[in-house]
Amino acid sequence: MLTSSLEKAALAGHYASVNGILRMANTIFNNFRHHEAGFAPLLQQLFLKTDSLIDSAVSSGGGSAALLTPLLESQRLCCRIFFSLPEYFKDHMNEWMGVFNKCLSCNYPSLESTADGLELVDDLRSAVCDNINLYMDKYEEEFQRFVEGFALAVCTLLREVSKSPLRDQLATTAIKFLTTVSTTSAHHALFAGGIRDICQSIVIPNLCLREKDKQLFEMDFMEFIRRDMDGNTRRGIACELLKGLATYYKPQVTQVVSHEIHKLLSSFATNPAAQWEDKDCAIYLVLSLGADFFDVESFFANFIIPELQCPDVDSYPMLKAGSLKFLTMFCSHLPMQLFPELVRFLGAESNVVHSYAAICIEKLLLLKDEGGRSRYVGSDISPFLLQLMTSLLDRTESEENQYSIKCIMRVLGVAEITREVVDLCLGRLTTVFSQVVRKNPTFNHYIFESVAVLVRRACEGDISLITEFDASLFPRLKMILADDVREFIPYAFQLLAQLVELNIQPISPDYMDMLLLLLAPNPNWWRSHQVPALVRLLQAFLQKAPHEVTQKNLLGQVLGVFDKLVKTPSTVEQGCYVLNAVIEYMEYGVIAPYMTFVWSSLFTHLEQKKSVKLQKCLVIFISLFLVKHGPANLVDTMNAVQRNIFIAIVDRFWIPDLKLIMGTMEVKLTAVAATRLICETPALLDPAASKLWGGMVNSIVSLVSRPEQERAIDEPEMPDNTATFVNLYNVGRREVDPLQDITDPKHFFVTSLAMLSASHPGRYPWVIRYNLEKANQDALIKLCTAYNCAIV
């Protein structure tokens, strides 16, 4: 349909219809690339025909804008579709590349004399540059005969384009092509004699500030910073070209750029007020090549320090921003501590300057010296901590500045948290997240991280502060839940979990009311992205209030949550986390009446929806149950569901699935539990069960002797699992080791095995040899030798 319509319109020479069909085709091929279905030959035919029409128009007097506009628009669309169908046109390079070169080299005065016409011509040239860059990347060998011609055409074009403060798209796509060529071993020599010319006519002009940059700096600071950091701007792309040229011509590039930097700085020195942009350009030249090319410490001392120590933080704000970026990028190379200056810049009027100061402080606080020690600690920022926090909080309340709030989080993670700091920060931070949900999810996340780290660090120093946090945070978090603020509910649950864990027992009635609310039927709270946080809160209650759970007869409802979660593949693990917390913190007499329900639920789901996750969870749960409540209770509660089901579970799941376990704590738990199983369980010590006993030994040896990376890999994540859940790092749950008295599971295994073997001489070596794989036989011998144990 599309092909026949295009063929009819092309034959009629009706370019309004042709271009409408091409726009539709471009949309289709953007989404379904490489499925040309006969369209490509017709596209090529149309492209060459249109090129002939353009040649005729240009040769007969230049061609009017009205005549050329639909023709160049058609070529632009053909080029965009070409990009989606590169494989077909690889065999037709001659036909296309000649026209591509012509598009880059020819002028169209009637169009280029107007802004709209020039934009159309540049759009066509940008599409061509994208195509040749694609071919340079994908089909370098076939494309190499065209590279020199295109490099010449692009360089010539860029000398003109680089003079214009506009024409961004064409400048960036053309420079990207030159960068690709400059880093290719077969073609870099094309630039050997032109390094100086390229630097002066292409790199420097595109590095210089434009009015557009200044406007963005003033009007949209977040977008300015995003572009500046991404590097996907004319400045950033020009820097990449410079680095590309330096790949093979480092001495020449260093010499040329050093000369240009000297010229720019000399120009600035003659008249700083008028020529400050030259210094800005010089800074970006050093930034683009870095410490491998320049003495950054010397440059910093001579040209950056004066900007950072300038008393007026609001003078030449773009220069200040560039200087702060320089310090951020090279802070690991620079020995000076400049926190006082950075704190001053947090008070700058310019949001960009303030943000770059915040970014720099945050980066400095992450620096590590040899041995992993933090370069800067709380005492380094204590003298001006309150001023620093006040400046950051002022911007956080008035702007959705993710850089300010991230810096707050980092400072609170390092600073010495006093009651004065708590009083300053707590109310203002909670006020921010009590307001309407902000549009910036990164900002939202760091608000809650900042509160979490404030609570954690403050209570580490003074646990009595938990009362103050309860009074301030609990009502606001409760309101988030009551108002069903979907974006904030996962954060609210995590902060509540932190508060519960920090509370001194007994838990207050307000929190117990929250638990009752949590366990009440509320489908809104069981959205997939909220489940991990909800489970985290349940775990906290089970840890801190097991007696209250028992007294209020809530265990059945808690296990109902487990059953609900384990039914769904995407929340299986979360359901098992609830179950593990029950086993870990509740007394056996309380949980025993519910174990038939628990085992029935697990076994049913295992039969109906067997999965790697559920198999792993089962092994971990069984192991935890055994080490907490003993092998006898494990066997008895299982067999209460069905006669001898324990042996079936060991045979069908525990033995083969033990190899799935990963993680230091989990490996230790399951290895110790399996060891106790074979050494303490009468059902497995019976000679009739020797095959099962030997099979478990084989699995234990595999588990403890294989490197982590060689163990089984999880099945792929469910696509709708909990992708929108964001974990709060500072609320991270501290794993409690249920086997703190055992440090080495390998030692525990071989010594337990040796003791068992010594008590039954001659029985177990034969069973082990019969069941162990060859690799595991060798591994067991090494373990016994290492721990000086013998199996007799």
Side-chain angles (χ1 to χ4, degrees):
M1 177 71 176
L2 199 66
T3 304
S4 60
S5 298
L6 181 61
E7 190 170 20
K8 289 177 184 176
L11 283 172
H14 195 277
Y15 271 84
S17 299
V18 165
N19 291 344
I21 296 165
L22 289 176
R23 288 187 193 96
M24 186 185 303
N26 186 39
T27 302
I28 292 170
F29 288 122
N30 264 335
N31 296 320
F32 304 98
R33 293 189 171 188
H34 316 299
H35 297 284
E36 53 92 16
F39 190 83
L42 178 59
L43 185 77
Q44 180 171 303
Q45 182 181 340
L46 173 66
F47 184 69
L48 296 176
K49 175 186 175 182
T50 306
D51 176 59
S52 298
L53 293 174
I54 293 170
D55 281 349
S56 298
V58 171
S59 62
S60 61
S64 67
L67 176 61
L68 288 176
T69 295
L71 298 177
L72 264 68
E73 172 65 6
S74 176
Q75 296 297 72
R76 183 191 72 82
L77 290 165
C78 287
C79 288
R80 289 302 178 197
I81 297 170
F82 177 101
F83 189 86
S84 299
L85 307 173
E87 185 66 30
Y88 173 82
F89 299 115
K90 183 180 68 170
D91 298 326
H92 300 272
M93 283 195 194
N94 287 332
E95 293 94 321
W96 286 85
M97 298 307 154
V99 181
F100 282 174
N101 202 308
K102 192 187 302 181
C103 292
L104 297 175
S105 306
C106 285
N107 293 315
Y108 308 95
S110 63
L111 285 175
E112 294 178 72
S113 59
T114 66
D116 289 344
L118 180 61
E119 182 179 3
L120 172 59
V121 175
D122 280 359
D123 284 348
L124 170 59
R125 291 166 175 162
S126 295
V128 169
C129 289
D130 283 335
N131 289 339
I132 60 177
N133 213 9
L134 176 69
Y135 266 52
M136 187 74 189
D137 182 51
K138 289 178 68 77
Y139 311 114
E140 183 185 349
E141 184 177 346
E142 297 91 335
F143 184 68
Q144 61 180 338
R145 67 185 188 276
F146 302 103
V147 172
E148 183 173 357
F150 279 124
L152 178 62
V154 169
C155 281
T156 303
L157 178 64
L158 274 172
R159 288 186 183 92
E160 183 62 32
V161 172
S162 297
K163 298 174 185 175
S164 171
L166 306 174
R167 310 180 79 176
D168 285 359
Q169 183 182 7
L170 177 56
T172 55
T173 54
I175 293 172
K176 283 179 182 178
F177 174 73
L178 292 187
T179 303
T180 303
V181 176
S182 71
T183 56
T184 305
S185 59
H187 305 291
H188 66 81
L190 294 172
F191 301 121
I195 300 293
R196 182 176 300 278
D197 175 58
I198 291 173
C199 287
Q200 292 176 340
S201 63
I202 297 175
V203 173
I204 300 295
N206 284 289
L207 269 177
C208 290
L209 283 169
R210 297 164 298 145
E211 284 304 313
K212 190 175 178 181
D213 299 320
K214 299 174 189 176
Q215 290 172 7
L216 195 63
F217 185 94
E218 295 290 337
M219 304 299 293
D220 190 346
F221 77 97
M222 290 293 288
E223 182 62 14
F224 178 90
I225 295 171
R226 186 191 67 77
R227 292 185 185 184
D228 196 33
M229 288 184 165
D230 288 351
N232 195 25
T233 60
R234 283 175 77 159
R235 296 189 104 185
I237 299 300
C239 289
E240 290 302 310
L241 174 57
L242 203 55
K243 286 188 273 191
L245 292 169
T247 303
Y248 292 100
Y249 302 102
K250 182 176 178 178
Q252 297 94 314
V253 169
T254 304
Q255 181 182 6
V256 170
V257 172
S258 297
H259 177 71
E260 294 299 321
I261 289 172
H262 179 74
K263 281 172 51 180
L264 290 164
L265 291 172
S266 297
S267 171
F268 168 77
T270 59
N271 190 347
Q275 306 295 340
W276 66 267
E277 292 179 31
D278 287 343
K279 182 174 181 179
D280 178 84
C281 187
I283 291 172
Y284 269 81
L285 279 169
V286 178
L287 282 171
S288 66
L289 292 178
D292 290 338
F293 291 78
F294 302 108
D295 180 357
V296 294
E297 287 192 36
S298 174
F299 188 89
F300 180 75
N302 292 321
F303 303 107
I304 302 298
I305 285 285
E307 295 296 337
L308 298 181
Q309 293 182 337
C310 173
D312 185 1
V313 296
D314 295 317
S315 64
Y316 308 112
M318 296 194 85
L319 260 186
K320 300 294 190 295
S323 298
L324 288 166
K325 183 177 180 180
F326 188 98
L327 173 57
T328 304
M329 181 169 289
F330 297 118
C331 60
S332 60
H333 298 272
L334 305 172
M336 292 188 63
Q337 186 188 109
L338 291 162
F339 280 114
E341 281 72 21
L342 293 173
V343 173
R344 286 192 309 109
F345 280 109
L346 290 175
E349 289 182 7
S350 165
N351 276 321
V352 176
V353 173
H354 166 90
S355 300
Y356 274 179
I359 291 167
C360 190
I361 291 170
E362 199 261 338
K363 175 76 177 291
L364 288 171
L365 294 179
L366 285 173
L367 280 181
K368 303 287 184 185
D369 287 325
E370 287 186 23
R373 289 182 314 231
S374 296
R375 181 174 298 183
Y376 301 107
V377 294
S379 58
D380 292 311
I381 54 178
S382 290
F384 32 81
L385 177 60
L386 293 177
Q387 180 189 352
L388 185 159
M389 294 303 294
T390 300
S391 297
L392 290 169
L393 286 162
D394 285 345
R395 296 298 174 98
T396 300
E397 288 184 304
S398 61
E399 304 275 356
E400 282 185 55
N401 192 324
Q402 66 192 57
Y403 308 108
S404 297
I405 193 62
K406 188 176 183 182
C407 185
I408 287 172
M409 179 201 71
R410 195 70 64 202
V411 170
L412 290 174
V414 173
E416 297 165 353
I417 306 297
T418 62
R419 182 172 287 275
E420 194 174 12
V421 174
V422 173
D423 292 341
L424 172 66
C425 298
L426 181 59
R428 297 177 72 170
L429 287 174
T430 51
T431 297
V432 173
F433 77 63
S434 298
Q435 296 166 354
V436 65
V437 177
R438 308 298 181 103
K439 294 178 292 185
N440 185 337
T442 303
F443 177 84
N444 292 337
H445 177 76
Y446 284 119
I447 279 285
F448 285 95
E449 282 284 14
S450 296
V451 173
V453 72
L454 178 64
V455 173
R456 177 175 64 81
R457 296 290 320 291
C459 289
E460 285 174 355
D462 182 0
I463 192 61
S464 68
L465 285 170
I466 189 62
T467 305
E468 189 171 333
F469 288 120
D470 277 342
S472 179
L473 292 173
F474 187 83
R476 289 178 168 88
L477 298 174
K478 190 175 179 181
M479 187 171 294
I480 288 171
L481 301 182
D483 293 344
D484 195 25
V485 184
R486 295 185 60 170
E487 296 88 339
F488 283 1
I489 285 177
Y491 295 125
F493 282 146
Q494 291 177 82
L495 283 180
L496 283 167
Q498 183 184 38
L499 294 176
V500 168
E501 288 175 345
L502 289 169
N503 258 269
I504 301 168
Q505 292 172 303
I507 298 294
S508 73
D510 285 342
Y511 279 104
M512 291 312 299
D513 290 342
M514 175 63 70
L515 177 58
L516 292 173
L517 191 63
L518 202 66
L519 295 174
N522 188 348
N524 289 336
W525 288 4
W526 292 99
R527 303 177 185 112
S528 61
H529 74 287
Q530 293 172 181
V531 166
L534 189 59
V535 167
R536 174 79 175 81
L537 180 52
L538 266 180
Q539 289 173 304
F541 275 117
L542 288 166
Q543 177 184 349
K544 295 293 287 192
H547 299 300
E548 290 87 342
V549 170
T550 301
Q551 290 167 358
K552 293 181 179 292
N553 294 316
L554 297 177
L555 184 55
Q557 291 168 261
V558 171
L559 291 173
V561 171
F562 143 73
D563 187 54
K564 177 182 176 68
L565 293 176
V566 85
K567 284 178 179 176
T568 305
S570 62
T571 56
V572 162
E573 287 178 306
Q574 298 299 325
C576 290
Y577 294 157
V578 174
L579 186 57
N580 291 346
V582 169
I583 298 302
E584 199 165 350
Y585 300 117
M586 306 293 288
E587 294 179 0
Y588 181 72
V590 176
I591 65 174
Y594 296 93
M595 286 312 301
T596 299
F597 166 76
V598 169
W599 292 125
S600 297
S601 176
L602 284 171
F603 299 158
T604 299
H605 298 314
L606 203 60
E607 288 294 328
Q608 293 175 348
K609 297 179 180 178
K610 183 177 178 180
S611 67
V612 172
K613 281 183 181 174
L614 184 53
Q615 291 165 243
K616 286 173 59 178
C617 288
L618 178 65
V619 171
I620 290 171
F621 172 67
I622 291 174
S623 301
L624 183 62
F625 188 102
L626 186 149
V627 301
K628 295 292 287 188
H629 303 302
N633 286 329
L634 177 66
V635 175
D636 291 345
T637 55
M638 274 196 189
N639 285 338
V641 177
Q642 181 181 319
R643 183 178 173 84
N644 292 328
I645 196 172
F646 170 75
I647 292 296
I649 293 297
V650 171
D651 185 28
R652 292 178 54 195
F653 297 104
W654 201 341
I655 290 173
D657 294 341
L658 195 59
K659 67 178 182 295
L660 302 176
I661 304 304
M662 301 178 74
T664 303
M665 186 86 76
E666 290 81 359
V667 168
K668 176 183 174 181
L669 170 66
T670 54
V672 170
T675 301
R676 289 189 59 188
L677 181 75
I678 61 171
C679 294
E680 301 176 25
T681 311
L684 262 72
L685 290 170
D686 189 322
S690 60
K691 184 177 180 182
L692 281 180
W693 188 93
M696 183 60 85
V697 172
N698 193 60
S699 291
I700 297 170
V701 175
S702 294
L703 178 69
V704 299
S705 60
R706 289 180 190 169
E708 182 94 354
Q709 62 270 22
E710 291 183 14
R711 298 194 187 112
I713 298 173
D714 276 353
E715 62 200 12
E717 290 288 339
M718 297 295 293
D720 63 340
N721 191 4
T722 53
T724 56
F725 170 72
V726 182
N727 184 56
L728 286 176
Y729 172 80
N730 286 290
V731 183
R733 184 169 183 262
R734 294 181 180 177
E735 287 192 60
V736 178
D737 185 354
L739 298 164
Q740 295 180 27
D741 56 327
I742 297 174
T743 56
D744 185 351
K746 296 178 184 178
H747 181 256
F748 182 82
F749 168 59
V750 292
T751 54
S752 299
L753 201 58
M755 290 171 61
L756 178 67
S757 181
S759 65
H760 298 80
R763 179 194 296 182
Y764 293 105
W766 178 84
V767 178
I768 291 173
R769 283 196 299 272
Y770 181 79
N771 286 279
L772 254 61
E773 300 165 2
K774 178 63 172 69
N776 283 345
Q777 290 181 25
D778 296 339
L780 182 56
I781 291 170
K782 288 180 181 178
L783 285 173
C784 290
T785 302
Y787 294 105
N788 195 27
C789 292
I791 301 172
V792 295

